[in-house]
Amino acid sequence: MDLAQLTRDLEALVEETRAALAAAPDTAAVEALEVEVLGKKGRLTIVLRGIGQLPAEERPLVGAVANRVRGAIEGEIGARRTELGAAELESRLRAETTDVTTPGRPIRRGSLHPSIEAMAEIARIFGQFGFVVYESPEIEDDEHNFQMLNIPPDHPARDLWDTLYVDVPGHLLRTHTSPGQIHVMRTVKPPIRALLPGRCFRYEAIDASHGTEFFQVEGLMVDEGTTLGDLRGLLDEFAHAMFGAGKKTRFRPGYYPFTEPSVAFDVECLVCGGPGCPACKRTGWMTILGAGMVHPVVLRHGGLDPERYQGFAFGMGPERISMLRHRIHDLRLFLENDLRFLGQFR
Amino acid sequence: MRVPLSWLAELVELELTPEELADRLTMLGMEVQAIERRGTDWSDVVVGELLAVEPHPRADRLSLTKVTIGHGAPLQIVCGATNIAAGQRVPVALPGAVLPGGRRIERAEKMGVTSEGMLCSGDELGLTADADGILILDGETQLGRPLAELYGDTVLDVDVKPNRGDALSIVGIAREVAASTGAEVRLPATEVEDDGAPVEGLVAVEVEDPQLCTRFVGRHVGGVTIGPSPDDVQMRLIAAGVRPVSNVVDASNYVMIELGKPIHTFDAAAVGRAAAGRARIVVRTARPGERIETLDHVVRELHPDTLLIADPGGPIGIAGVMGGAASEVSETTTDVIIESAVFDPVSIRRTAFHYGLRSEASLRFEKGQEQRLARLGADRTARLIHEWAGGSVARGRVDTNPDEPAPRTVAFRPARVDRLLGTNLGSETQRDLLRRVGISTEAEARPVTIPVAAGSAPEAVEAPAGDAVVATIPTWRRDIEIEADIAEEVARIHGYEAVPGRLPSTPMPGWRPSPLALREAVREALVGAGVTEAVTYALVSPRLVADFAWSVNPPPATGEGAREGGPITVTNPLSADHAILRHSLVGSLTQVVAGNVRHGRDDVAVFEVGKGYGRVADETVEWWRLGLALTGAFEPAAWNRPARPADVDDAKGLIELVAGVIGAGRPTYMALTDEPILHPGRSALASASDRAGRLALSGVVGELHPRLIEAWDLRVPRLIVAELSVAGLGGGGLPSVEFEAVSRFPAVERDLAVVVDEAVPAADVESAIREAGGENLRSVVLFDLYRGRPLADDERSLAFRLRFEAPDRTLTEVEVEEAIATISGALGHRVGGRIRA
Ligand SMILES: [Zn+2]
C-alpha cells in the first residue's frame, strides 16, 4: 500500500458513491448508502485502515485527503437526500389529499330550556342593579299566597287567580311568586333588592296563551327611599336590555291588592313597532309585567314598618318575555318538550 | 264592561275619537281591551219607505211590497213579517248586502216572484231582540241613508279591576272620562211621578239580618202593560251585552248597566200577602230543608247560609244572585215590585260560588255597593218602567234603612305622597288633581290621624300640625281607604307617564350567593355534553306516579332534601293528567322521550332539574333532583362514523361529568338488582363524595325495565334513566377549588390485568387496588375488559392503568414493584383475583 494507491482508492470511492447516489430511488436508499460508505464499518473506514501501513511522514497528507473525500461524500449525500426528500414529501402530500368539503364529525349539542334561560337572563339583567336571587316554596298556604298579600278570604280580587288546592289542610299551589315577598322580608332586613324566580300553578285550561303551570319572576326592592319613579327607571333599563335599546315603554295604572299604587308596564309592539297590528290587539303596545309600590299591609306582614320603609315589587312571566323576544306564538310549546322546538335555543 | 259610546255620550261630553278615548281610559287604569264597531257589517242596508203591502199571489204567509229608498225605481221585495204597513220606514238590505253573521242578500225568486232585496228585522241586524217583526224606524228618518250612519255604534270593552265596582256602570265610566277631560257628568234622572196609592199599603219589607242586607228599597208600579222595550233601549242593551226580555225586565237591566245597581223585579201578584193584604217580603237566611225553583228553572236545595228574599209562603229569590221562577215578571204581569237592595258582599260571593250562579248582578254585589245607590236605583227603575210600560207608580218607597252615611274622610300628607311617587307635586297640585275625581280636600292645621294601612294589618300614625290634608271621598269610591290609595289617585290623574323615571340611588344590599349558581353550572355542562334541557309538568297523572314510583330511596346528598312523604293530590284538578304532584322526574322524562320518538326522533338525550313533592303529616316537603333520560344513539351516525347506541355507561359518564362540575370525587356504583322500574341486571346506585367526605351526589342510574317500556308504549328498544340528588342543586353555590401541587417529578405508569370471577364487580377490584396502592398511587383507570381463552368460562380480566407519582422525588423501580406486589396480594385475598402476566 502506498500513498498513490490509497488516493486512487479514495477517488474511486467518491466516484462509486456518486454513481450509487444518482441511482438511489428514495431517501431510504440514500440512508443505506450513507451507512455503507460513511458508517463505522463503512467503506471509507476500510479504505482508511490502509493509513497504518504508510510511513509516518505521509500520514498527515493522507489525513487531509481523507477529510476532503469525507466532506465531498457527505455533501453529495446531503444534496441527494434533500432532493429526494422534497419529492417524497410532495408525493405523500398528494397521496394524503382528502375531500375537505365534507361535513365534520358531529358533536351533539344540547340546549337550555327557554323558560329557565329567560329567568336566568332576567336575573342577569337585574343582577347588574344589585338584585340577588331567592327562592320560596311552590306549595304555599292561603296566608302567604293571599291573606298576607292583602287578599282576604272571599275578596273579589281572588278572581284574578284561579287556584289549585291540594289535600293538605290550608295549602294550595302558589298562583304567583308574590308570596316570596313575605318570605324575603321576613328573612333579610332592608335594603332589599330581591328576585324570586319559580314555578307557579293556576286552575286554568291550557291554551295558546294560558297554562296550568308556568314560571314567574318576582322582584322586590324595599328601603327607605325607593319611589315609583325608581320603578319606572329600572323597568326602562330592563326593557332596553331585554328587547333592545331605544324601545319605547309605557307606564300605566294597574291593579294588584298587594301594591298601591299599582302599575302595568308596556313595551312598544315588537311586531309592528307602534301603529297597531293583530299581535298587539291594535294598541301598539304589549304588556310585559305588572308592578307597583309594595302595599303597607304587605310591608307590615313582612315585619317592616310601612312608615319607615317603602319600595316596589314586580312580577313577570319568563315565557311571555321569551314569546315576545322569539316571536313564539303558543305557550304550550314550552312544556311539550319537542326537541324541534327546544333545539332552536341555546 | 261593554260601554256603548252612544250611551256614554248621553252622560258626558265626548269630544274625542274612540281611539283617543280608549287611550285616555287605559292610561287612567280602565284598560280598553277592544274597540268594537257595530254596524260596520251592515253594508248596503239603507232606510226605505213601504209604498204598498199586498198579499203574495202564491203564498199566504208572504207579502209583496213596493219599497222606495228615495231614488231610482221602487223595489219589489217579498217579506214574511206581519207587522208592516204602507207608509212605514224600514231597513232595506239591497242585493249585495252582507248582514251580521256573513249572510249575503241577493236578488232571488220567491215563489215565482223576484225579490229585489230584504226588509230587515232588528234581530237580523243584531240591533234588537225582535226576530219576528221588521224593525220599524222613525217616520222622520231620512230615506236612502245607510243604516250604519243612524244606528252604528262603537262599544269599548273596558277591563274594570275588582277594586272598582263603581266603574261597572256607564255612570262610573263617565266619571272617569270627566276626570280626564274636565267635562261634567250628567246623571240620569231619578225623579218619579209617583201619584199612585201609598206604597206602605201595598208592600211591606222586613230584614231579619241587617248585617247581610244593609238596605232594601222597594217600590211598586201597578197596572203596567208588559211588552217589548222601545227599539233604542233594546239597541243599547244589546250593544252592552244584555239580551232584551220585556220592558219591565229591561228597565232593571238598564239600571244595572247605567248606574251599576242590580235590581230585581217581582210580579206583585205572585208575592204572598200578609193579613193586611200587603205583599210581604222578608229578607232572611234559608231554613233547613227549604228549596226554590230559580229563574233558570232549576230546583235548588238551599244552604243555610244563603240569604233569601222570601214571602210568607217561602223563598221567592236568592238575594243578589237569582230570582225565583214563581214570582218572575211575565207577559201577564200587571203589578210590579221593585227590589233595590244592598247585600253583604262576602255573603253574595259565597252564595254565587255555592250555586255556580255568578252573574252580572252578583259580580256587582260582590264588589260592594254604596247605600245611596239603593234609593237611586229604585227610583230610576220605577221611572223607566212607568215610561216604557205605563201604569202608576205607588207613592213613596219602602226603605229598611234610609240613613245614607256621610262620605268617608282620609287624611294624607302631600309630602309623603310625593316621597312615595318620586314627584314634587306639592299640596296644591295634589289637591287639584283629586278634585277632578270628585275628592274634595281641606288643609288641616291641627294634628291628624293618617291611615297608613288597613285590612288585616291596620295602622295609623299621627301627622304633626300643618302636614296633612283631609280628603272627603265620594261615597261610590269604596277603594280609597288609606294614604297610599290617595297617592295612587294623585298619580293616576296626574298621569303615570308624567312620573319621572330615574335609577335607584338608595343603599345596596350586601352580596349574597345565587341559589342558581350550581344549577346553572350543571345545566350548562350537560348541554355541552349534548343533552337537552326539558321542563315537564310537576302535576302528573295517578298512573304515572304509580308506575314510576321508585322503591329504592338512596340518601340525599348533603344539604339536600330527602324524597319523603305521601303524594299530594290536587282537590280541584283540571284533568286527571295533572292531578298529583310528582315524587320523581323519571316518569315525566320517559314521556318526553316517547313524545319525541313519536315525532320521528330516535335519538333523544334530555335532562331536567326539577322538584319532587311530598306530604309528611300536615306539612309539605319539596326536594330538587336531576333527572336524565337517554335513548337511541348517544353518538348519532354520520357519514364518517357509525351510530353508537346510548347505554348505561353514557348515563354514568354524564353523572361523572356532573360530579366533576360540583367538585366531587369520581362516583362509585353499586349493582341494584331489585328496583322494579329498572332492568335488574343493568342498574346501579351511584354516589360520590366531596373532599370532606360528605355525600355530594347520590342516586340511581339504569335501564328502564322492558315491562314499563311496553306498558307505556314508549316505542324504544332501550331507555336509560337516572335520577340524582346533587349537593347544591337546591340552592347551593359551587364549592371553591382547592389547588393541589403538581409534582415536578415524572410519573410511572403500570398496566395491571386482574383476572377475577365474573361475579366480582369491577368497583370492588378498583377499590382493592386503590386501598393497597399506597400514597403514591395517583390514579386507577379501567381500560380494558376481556373474557375468553385462556380464561375460564366464569372468569374475566380487568385491565387497569395505574399511575404512580411522588411529590418530592422520582420513584424508583423498586418502590413501584413493591407497591404492585402489595396490590397483587390484596387482590388475591380481597377479590380472589390474580395478576395476568
Ligand atoms: Zn303591533
Side-chain angles (χ1 to χ4, degrees):
Chain A
M1 175 64 67
D2 60 18
L3 179 58
Q5 180 62 36
L6 196 64
T7 307
R8 275 194 308 277
D9 288 353
L10 286 170
E11 293 300 339
L13 184 58
V14 170
E15 281 311 311
E16 258 175 73
T17 304
R18 192 171 283 147
L21 275 175
D26 52 24
T27 50
V30 176
E31 304 300 330
L33 191 65
E34 187 174 23
V35 172
E36 183 194 328
V37 178
L38 300 178
K40 273 186 189 166
K41 297 172 184 168
R43 288 176 59 191
L44 181 61
T45 310
I46 293 169
V47 172
L48 292 177
R49 272 191 203 134
I51 293 177
Q53 299 163 8
L54 292 179
E57 66 278 15
E58 289 183 353
R59 287 180 193 170
L61 294 171
V62 177
V65 173
N67 281 338
R68 184 176 51 76
V69 166
R70 178 179 287 275
I73 292 173
E74 275 172 356
E76 297 278 344
I77 287 174
R80 184 61 177 154
R81 182 191 281 131
T82 303
E83 184 190 340
L84 284 171
E88 277 169 20
L89 184 61
E90 183 68 23
S91 86
R92 176 185 144 198
L93 293 177
R94 220 176 4 255
E96 286 175 355
T97 296
T98 60
D99 177 0
V100 296
T101 66
T102 55
R105 187 164 290 110
I107 293 172
R108 181 153 68 172
R109 181 178 69 92
S111 52
L112 293 166
H113 192 279
S115 295
I116 313 288
E117 212 25 43
M119 285 196 286
E121 177 71 8
I122 293 163
R124 279 192 283 272
I125 293 170
F126 282 101
Q128 285 200 9
F129 298 97
F131 282 71
V132 293
V133 174
Y134 294 79
E135 292 185 303
S136 69
E138 293 172 24
I139 310 169
E140 276 288 2
D141 53 25
D142 195 88
E143 284 79 8
H144 283 83
N145 198 73
F146 290 124
Q147 295 171 40
M148 290 182 190
L149 296 172
N150 197 32
I151 313 164
D154 300 302
H155 193 275
R158 289 203 176 206
D159 289 352
L160 298 174
W161 302 273
D162 291 316
T163 308
L164 288 165
Y165 294 91
V166 294
D167 59 353
V168 184
H171 285 71
L172 47 80
L173 302 183
R174 68 172 174 191
T175 56
H176 47 185
T177 42
S178 305
Q181 292 183 31
I182 301 288
H183 292 293
V184 168
M185 284 188 278
R186 290 182 169 195
T187 307
V188 289
K189 292 291 146 220
I192 294 170
R193 298 189 190 189
L195 279 187
L196 289 135
R199 191 187 289 253
C200 300
F201 303 79
R202 298 257 172 102
Y203 180 85
E204 234 171 277
I206 299 166
D207 67 21
S209 47
H210 299 89
T212 175
E213 290 184 33
F214 56 92
F215 290 88
Q216 225 176 46
V217 180
E218 191 84 7
L220 176 70
M221 175 161 173
V222 176
D223 50 45
E224 295 181 12
T226 287
T227 68
L228 190 69
D230 292 323
L231 173 62
R232 175 63 191 269
L234 201 64
L235 291 184
D236 277 350
E237 294 298 315
F238 168 71
H240 295 158
M242 191 55 99
F243 300 111
K247 284 273 178 290
K248 285 202 296 288
T249 63
R250 188 170 77 164
F251 212 51
R252 60 186 171 87
Y255 170 69
Y256 303 97
F258 37 89
T259 51
E260 191 73 38
S262 297
V263 173
F265 186 64
D266 303 338
V267 66
E268 68 176 75
C269 176
L270 301 169
V271 177
C272 69
C277 69
C280 57
K281 291 188 195 153
R282 317 222 162 270
T283 61
W285 297 97
M286 289 173 153
T287 304
I288 56 170
L289 59 85
M293 300 302 289
V294 182
H295 197 285
V297 165
V298 177
L299 290 169
R300 189 31 94 204
H301 285 302
L304 300 180
D305 175 5
E307 255 304 90
R308 179 171 172 199
Y309 294 110
Q310 63 181 50
F312 59 71
F314 57 80
M316 68 180 101
E319 289 94 345
R320 173 152 178 84
I321 301 282
S322 183
M323 286 171 84
L324 293 176
R325 274 186 113 188
H326 305 297
R327 312 261 171 103
I328 299 166
H329 58 280
D330 195 330
L331 181 66
R332 285 170 288 204
L333 290 165
F334 287 85
L335 282 166
E336 276 171 6
N337 295 298
D338 188 325
L339 292 176
R340 294 168 298 180
F341 171 73
L342 296 179
Q344 295 180 37
F345 305 94
R346 286 183 289 273
Chain B
M1 169 85 194
R2 290 174 56 87
V3 182
L5 292 191
S6 62
W7 200 341
L8 185 62
E10 201 172 274
L11 302 186
V12 67
E13 199 68 44
L14 299 180
E15 287 166 340
L16 307 163
T17 65
E19 284 73 19
E20 288 167 345
L21 183 63
D23 196 51
R24 295 267 189 115
L25 287 171
T26 296
M27 295 309 283
L28 280 171
M30 298 285 157
E31 186 184 355
V32 176
Q33 295 186 312
I35 302 175
E36 178 189 316
R37 290 204 156 68
R38 294 176 58 78
T40 50
D41 48 0
W42 313 323
S43 64
D44 294 309
V45 181
V46 300
V47 178
E49 183 176 312
L50 289 161
L51 299 175
V53 179
E54 284 159 12
H56 189 287
R58 288 170 49 192
D60 292 349
R61 293 192 184 167
L62 297 180
S63 305
L64 194 56
T65 69
K66 284 239 174 320
V67 183
T68 177
I69 56 167
H71 56 267
L75 303 168
Q76 174 176 275
I77 294 177
V78 175
C79 179
T82 56
N83 69 328
I84 47 172
Q88 288 171 340
R89 301 219 160 165
V90 292
V92 181
L94 302 172
V98 179
L99 298 184
R103 181 174 170 197
R104 178 174 284 276
I105 305 303
E106 302 289 2
R107 194 180 310 267
E109 284 288 302
K110 291 206 170 147
M111 306 290 284
V113 179
T114 302
S115 183
E116 300 170 292
M118 188 180 86
L119 307 185
C120 302
S121 72
D123 184 58
E124 281 161 334
L125 294 171
L127 274 171
T128 71
D130 185 359
D132 298 329
I134 297 305
L135 181 66
I136 309 300
L137 306 174
D138 189 276
E140 306 289 299
T141 317
Q142 190 192 336
L143 283 183
R145 263 189 91 175
L147 215 67
E149 288 178 16
L150 296 164
Y151 297 104
D153 202 349
T154 302
V155 180
L156 303 185
D157 190 356
V158 182
D159 177 25
V160 175
K161 304 298 185 189
N163 62 332
R164 288 299 304 274
D166 66 293
L168 283 173
S169 64
I170 306 291
V171 167
I173 299 295
R175 288 193 182 112
E176 294 294 310
V177 173
S180 171
T181 64
E184 287 290 313
V185 175
R186 298 180 288 263
L187 292 172
T190 51
E191 300 76 29
V192 197
E193 278 178 52
D194 53 349
D195 47 10
V199 71
E200 292 80 10
L202 299 167
V203 184
V205 177
E206 185 199 337
V207 172
E208 279 189 5
D209 188 341
Q211 300 284 70
L212 295 182
C213 175
T214 52
R215 190 177 192 184
F216 189 121
V217 178
R219 294 204 72 137
H220 183 281
V221 188
V224 299
T225 308
I226 302 294
S229 302
D231 286 337
D232 57 343
V233 170
Q234 291 193 36
M235 289 178 202
R236 270 191 189 173
L237 287 174
I238 286 178
V242 178
R243 189 177 57 88
V245 179
S246 69
N247 43 18
V248 168
V249 174
D250 290 356
S252 61
N253 284 331
Y254 194 92
V255 170
M256 177 175 72
I257 301 293
E258 186 183 53
L259 297 181
K261 178 78 206 80
I263 302 285
H264 189 71
T265 50
F266 296 96
D267 183 338
V271 178
R273 324 256 123 198
R278 296 180 300 179
R280 179 174 161 72
I281 289 173
V282 183
V283 185
R284 59 168 173 84
T285 49
R287 298 189 179 127
E290 276 191 316
R291 46 170 65 189
I292 185 173
E293 181 184 348
T294 41
L295 280 178
D296 53 0
H297 301 291
V298 175
V299 176
R300 296 169 193 276
E301 306 284 338
L302 294 169
H303 185 274
D305 287 345
T306 303
L307 188 67
L308 298 176
I309 312 298
D311 69 5
I316 57 171
I318 300 176
V321 174
M322 193 178 261
S327 57
E328 182 182 6
V329 170
S330 70
E331 286 166 29
T332 58
T333 300
T334 58
D335 296 352
V336 176
I337 296 171
I338 298 166
E339 168 210 314
S340 178
V342 179
F343 302 112
D344 174 61
V346 169
S347 161
I348 298 296
R349 185 175 162 90
R350 286 187 183 162
T351 301
F353 269 98
H354 178 79
Y355 297 103
L357 285 174
R358 297 189 80 199
S359 60
E360 289 290 317
S362 74
L363 277 177
R364 285 169 172 82
F365 280 120
E366 281 179 26
K367 293 177 171 65
Q369 299 234 304
E370 54 164 329
Q371 293 284 96
R372 199 176 60 102
L373 215 45
R375 169 177 56 84
L376 295 174
D379 290 2
R380 177 71 175 157
T381 311
R383 181 188 168 107
L384 295 180
I385 291 176
H386 181 57
E387 194 178 317
W388 301 341
S392 79
V393 181
R395 191 165 66 252
R397 323 172 180 101
V398 284
D399 191 339
T400 63
N401 183 11
D403 286 346
E404 292 180 1
R408 170 178 34 218
T409 59
V410 174
F412 69 99
R413 293 158 294 181
R416 182 80 176 87
V417 168
D418 271 334
R419 180 155 83 86
L420 198 65
L421 301 180
T423 49
N424 274 311
L425 298 172
S427 176
E428 284 315 306
T429 307
Q430 291 183 23
R431 293 174 63 187
D432 281 345
L433 291 167
L434 292 170
R435 197 168 298 129
R436 288 165 56 184
V437 279
I439 298 175
S440 59
T441 55
E442 209 168 321
E444 179 58 67
R446 290 163 300 172
V448 59
T449 303
I450 308 290
V452 169
S456 54
E459 182 146 333
V461 296
E462 293 301 313
D467 278 8
V469 169
V470 176
T472 302
I473 312 301
T475 49
W476 55 87
R477 290 300 301 274
R478 297 167 51 91
D479 59 312
I480 302 176
E481 291 180 303
I482 58 171
E483 190 174 52
D485 297 328
I486 295 282
E488 176 171 82
E489 213 54 19
V490 166
R492 206 168 70 88
I493 308 307
H494 180 56
Y496 273 36
E497 273 292 299
V499 173
R502 60 163 201 197
L503 279 178
S505 53
T506 46
M508 296 266 287
W511 184 85
R512 182 179 192 271
S514 169
L516 307 183
L518 182 131
R519 228 176 285 157
E520 284 186 358
V522 167
R523 291 167 52 236
E524 275 165 16
L526 287 170
V527 162
V531 192
T532 292
E533 182 175 31
V535 171
T536 60
Y537 285 98
L539 287 168
V540 297
S541 70
R543 185 180 164 221
L544 194 84
V545 168
D547 283 10
F548 291 92
W550 290 113
S551 91
V552 289
N553 193 0
T558 308
E560 294 294 306
R563 168 156 51 82
E564 58 178 336
I568 297 175
T569 305
V570 173
T571 53
N572 59 331
L574 270 154
S575 84
D577 286 342
H578 303 291
I580 299 188
L581 282 169
R582 65 181 172 198
H583 241 183
S584 85
L585 304 174
V586 74
S588 306
L589 288 174
T590 64
Q591 303 308 301
V592 171
V593 169
N596 280 289
V597 167
R598 278 190 202 102
H599 285 136
R601 290 285 287 249
D602 297 329
D603 310 326
V604 182
V606 287
F607 75 92
E608 178 171 11
V609 175
K611 276 184 175 178
Y613 312 80
R615 169 190 184 164
V616 177
D618 280 351
E619 296 298 316
T620 61
V621 265
E622 303 174 16
W623 55 86
W624 285 93
R625 290 292 181 271
L626 167 64
L628 282 171
L630 315 173
T631 197
F634 194 70
E635 282 172 2
W639 71 273
N640 47 11
R641 178 182 70 188
R644 190 176 64 68
D647 59 19
V648 174
D649 288 345
D650 289 311
K652 288 194 286 191
L654 294 170
I655 292 170
E656 287 153 25
L657 174 72
V658 169
V661 168
I662 65 168
R666 221 154 60 83
T668 55
Y669 305 101
M670 205 168 80
L672 176 63
T673 55
D674 56 354
E675 170 52 62
I677 73 171
L678 297 182
H679 189 309
R682 295 190 168 187
S683 306
L685 290 168
S687 64
S689 300
D690 66 11
R691 280 166 171 272
R694 289 174 304 223
L695 191 56
L697 181 150
S698 167
V700 185
V701 55
E703 223 175 273
L704 198 67
H705 200 290
R707 183 179 45 75
L708 272 174
I709 292 183
E710 192 181 319
W712 283 79
D713 190 22
L714 299 177
R715 304 185 194 180
V716 291
R718 295 181 188 283
L719 211 165
I720 319 301
V721 296
E723 184 157 328
L724 303 158
S725 170
V726 180
L729 208 59
L734 283 164
S736 63
V737 172
E738 202 179 312
F739 163 74
E740 189 189 357
V742 177
S743 175
R744 297 162 176 277
F745 301 93
V748 179
E749 285 190 349
R750 282 296 153 86
D751 290 352
L752 204 63
V754 187
V755 177
V756 286
D757 192 273
E758 274 287 358
V760 175
D764 291 3
V765 179
E766 186 182 321
S767 65
I769 295 172
R770 279 182 190 282
E771 283 158 32
E775 60 177 358
N776 293 330
L777 176 61
R778 308 312 285 249
S779 84
V780 180
V781 176
L782 177 71
F783 71 90
D784 190 33
L785 204 153
Y786 176 78
R787 290 184 183 86
R789 293 169 63 82
L791 304 182
D793 282 354
D794 57 355
E795 282 184 337
R796 59 177 181 162
S797 162
L798 306 165
F800 294 91
R801 179 152 299 157
L802 278 51
R803 209 173 103 250
F804 295 91
E805 190 183 276
D808 54 353
R809 65 186 191 284
T810 301
L811 290 170
T812 64
E813 198 73 4
V814 174
E815 282 176 300
V816 172
E817 287 311 324
E818 276 170 9
I820 296 286
T822 312
I823 290 168
S824 175
L827 286 169
H829 74 259
R830 284 197 42 189
V831 295
R834 65 172 195 274
I835 307 290
R836 191 171 153 224

